[in-house]
Amino acid sequence: MNVAQLRLNNEQYHWVNHWLERWGAWVYSGRLEKPQSSIIAHYMAKVNPQESPTRLMCNDDDGLLISRVVDTVMRVDIKAFKIVLSYYVQCTSRRAIANYYHHCASPRKMNGRGGDRVKKPSFGTCRNEIDAILEAAVWLLYQPLQKAFDSRKPVAKIHKTA
């Protein structure tokens, strides 16, 4: 499998990004019930939601569905999960996430022109890693989200009898 197969096309990216942005606003608003999603609830317990939502938000049914998918898929990599939450829920910029990531980074073995050395990654390296992690996370979430939306049973509409 080559790298091009691991990238979403524009239409796929915009579809999943659309839902993740609305889900992020929904989680940030405090509408997520704590027992429904343990990992997200623990993370969001540290954040004070805004009084009035200023971002477009999904409805509760969509929010709970997306939360279940995000919990299931992102449970594998907690660091990536926290980056996704920072980006989509708290609207933290990629640069700000990379800055925090750089500040907390410990020296590690890195390939360079002088060979392998143990050193702290540069800010540019941290930015590239954050971009790669977010791109991979969105790619990982696309298909499970699409399946979840497609397999969801439609809610029966209530007809008025007048």
Side-chain angles (χ1 to χ4, degrees), residues 54-74:
T54 56
R55 301 187 283 170
L56 292 176
M57 219 175 12
C58 59
N59 63 39
D60 290 345
D61 292 336
D62 292 340
L64 289 171
L65 179 74
I66 296 168
S67 289
R68 281 194 298 272
V69 171
V70 170
D71 269 355
T72 302
V73 172
M74 299 309 297

Side-chain angles (χ1 to χ4, degrees), residues 2-75:
N2 67 32
V3 176
Q5 292 174 319
L6 297 178
R7 288 213 165 96
L8 299 175
N9 64 36
N10 265 351
E11 183 180 331
Q12 293 168 327
Y13 174 79
H14 289 300
W15 182 86
V16 73
N17 191 59
H18 161 85
W19 284 111
L20 290 173
E21 285 176 351
R22 280 154 181 74
W23 167 78
W26 179 81
V27 171
Y28 192 77
S29 74
R31 297 179 70 100
L32 176 68
E33 294 181 26
K34 304 227 183 307
Q36 295 289 330
S37 180
S38 59
I39 296 175
I40 296 172
H42 288 300
Y43 185 78
M44 291 309 298
K46 300 173 188 170
V47 178
N48 293 327
Q50 291 179 330
E51 292 301 318
S52 62
T54 56
R55 301 187 283 170
L56 292 176
M57 219 175 12
C58 59
N59 63 39
D60 290 345
D61 292 336
D62 292 340
L64 289 171
L65 179 74
I66 296 168
S67 289
R68 281 194 298 272
V69 171
V70 170
D71 269 355
T72 302
V73 172
M74 299 309 297
R75 175 168 284 160

Side-chain angles (χ1 to χ4, degrees), residues 64-160:
L64 289 171
L65 179 74
I66 296 168
S67 289
R68 281 194 298 272
V69 171
V70 170
D71 269 355
T72 302
V73 172
M74 299 309 297
R75 175 168 284 160
V76 177
D77 188 344
I78 297 300
K79 180 169 85 174
F81 184 72
K82 289 180 179 180
I83 291 169
V84 166
L85 291 178
S86 294
Y87 187 72
Y88 284 104
V89 175
Q90 295 179 292
C91 285
T92 306
S93 70
R94 290 174 183 236
R95 183 177 182 88
I97 296 168
N99 190 33
Y100 175 77
Y101 187 61
H102 178 256
H103 177 72
C104 296
S106 299
R108 62 182 187 215
K109 188 175 183 180
M110 304 208 38
N111 293 334
R113 284 177 258 152
D116 292 344
R117 296 186 306 175
V118 174
K119 65 179 190 174
K120 183 174 179 172
S122 69
F123 177 71
T125 297
C126 292
R127 282 188 74 178
N128 292 338
E129 289 175 1
I130 294 301
D131 287 344
I133 289 168
L134 278 171
E135 186 176 336
V138 169
W139 183 83
L140 285 169
L141 288 166
Y142 173 74
Q143 189 173 18
L145 270 177
Q146 193 174 46
K147 280 184 179 180
F149 276 109
D150 289 345
S151 65
R152 174 170 63 177
K153 292 186 173 108
V155 177
K157 296 197 178 205
I158 299 172
H159 296 285
K160 284 187 177 182

